[in-house]
Amino acid sequence: MGEPIKVLLVDDHQVVRRGLRTFLEVQDDIEVVGEAADGAEGVARAEELRPDIVLMDVKMPGLDGIDALRRLRELDNPARVLIVTSFTEQRTVVPALRAGAAGYVYKDVDPDALAGAIRSVHAGHVLLQPEVADALLSQEEANTGQGRGSSLTEREREVLGLIADGRSNREIARALVLSEKTVKTHVSNILMKLDLADRTQAALWAVRHGVTG
């Protein structure tokens, strides 16, 4: 087993953080490295601790989860953010994903499913429920035209298809026999050519336009 997945808990309810920590600390491959009670503290702790995953509540006083997520992206923090929300807050999920979240879980998620979600996001996958994926795809269809795809090279389309499959840069590099640095360059070119903000939007664009790995 390699290094454990480092997780930062960001939630304004101490009892929630305590419950999450209690469960996650019994997982052999997950380590809770810190906690924060609001978005601003979450950003500061993420910069200090450099976790792999930030488990981020949406509704918090001061800087909320979505604004904290945007701030982390502005700081180029590499942590992948898993949004924690409730069924009544579904309308906040799409803005969170567009801001760069790697997925979301509901607050009543089964503990084992939560651990699975953390492992999946850490592996480079994007977690979307069908109804949210449909909403995102509709927005991307409105904002991004099919014509932009014609500017992609054949290799970039291969990389894009593998992004849509949820592959990480390392996995794409292995599949295409490339260096991770080369894959990272291809990903940057894809985002630039399609005028997309992140891998989540790229994956959705690929699915919408039939680009598969």
Side-chain angles (χ1 to χ4, degrees):
M1 184 180 295
E3 292 293 319
I5 302 168
K6 297 183 292 185
V7 176
L8 172 66
L9 307 176
V10 184
D11 194 295
D12 60 320
H13 293 99
Q14 184 178 9
V15 66
V16 172
R17 299 197 308 272
R18 184 179 299 147
L20 290 170
R21 177 183 281 276
T22 298
F23 168 71
L24 294 176
E25 284 185 338
V26 303
Q27 305 299 310
D28 292 337
D29 59 339
I30 297 174
E31 176 188 2
V32 177
V33 295
E35 301 179 15
D38 57 48
E41 184 183 4
V43 172
R45 296 288 278 165
E47 285 291 280
E48 173 193 354
L49 300 170
R50 308 304 278 185
D52 300 307
I53 304 293
V54 177
L55 209 55
M56 180 92 73
D57 189 16
V58 174
K59 298 294 186 182
M60 293 182 289
L63 196 70
D64 66 17
I66 295 176
D67 286 336
L69 173 56
R70 293 191 180 109
R71 181 61 179 147
L72 287 174
R73 297 289 79 87
E74 290 170 0
L75 292 169
D76 202 25
N77 189 292
R80 290 173 65 78
V81 176
L82 192 56
I83 288 291
V84 182
T85 186
S86 71
F87 285 104
T88 58
E89 297 168 342
Q90 279 194 0
R91 66 185 181 278
T92 67
V93 172
V94 170
L97 292 167
R98 291 184 64 84
Y104 69 98
V105 292
Y106 290 120
K107 291 181 178 179
D108 60 352
V109 64
D110 177 84
D112 290 330
L114 173 61
I118 290 172
R119 294 182 186 112
S120 181
V121 167
H122 181 252
H125 301 296
V126 175
L127 296 182
L128 296 176
Q129 296 295 328
E131 69 275 12
V132 174
D134 288 344
L136 276 166
L137 289 170
S138 296
Q139 290 188 14
E140 296 309 323
E141 179 69 10
N143 296 333
T144 308
Q146 170 70 44
R148 290 177 181 164
S150 63
S151 64
L152 298 178
T153 66
E154 187 61 33
R155 178 63 86 186
E156 287 166 353
R157 290 183 72 84
E158 288 180 321
V159 171
L160 180 58
L162 291 171
I163 290 174
D165 286 342
R167 306 285 191 91
S168 66
N169 283 356
R170 179 174 297 180
E171 291 170 329
I172 294 172
R174 288 174 180 169
L176 299 180
V177 195
L178 300 171
S179 69
E180 286 189 56
K181 183 177 180 181
T182 298
V183 171
K184 186 175 182 179
T185 298
H186 284 314
V187 173
S188 295
N189 289 340
I190 290 166
L191 297 180
M192 178 185 67
K193 289 181 179 181
L194 298 181
D195 192 25
L196 301 174
D198 54 43
R199 295 171 74 96
T200 302
Q201 292 185 17
L204 291 166
W205 191 98
V207 170
R208 188 66 165 180
H209 297 293
V211 180
T212 59

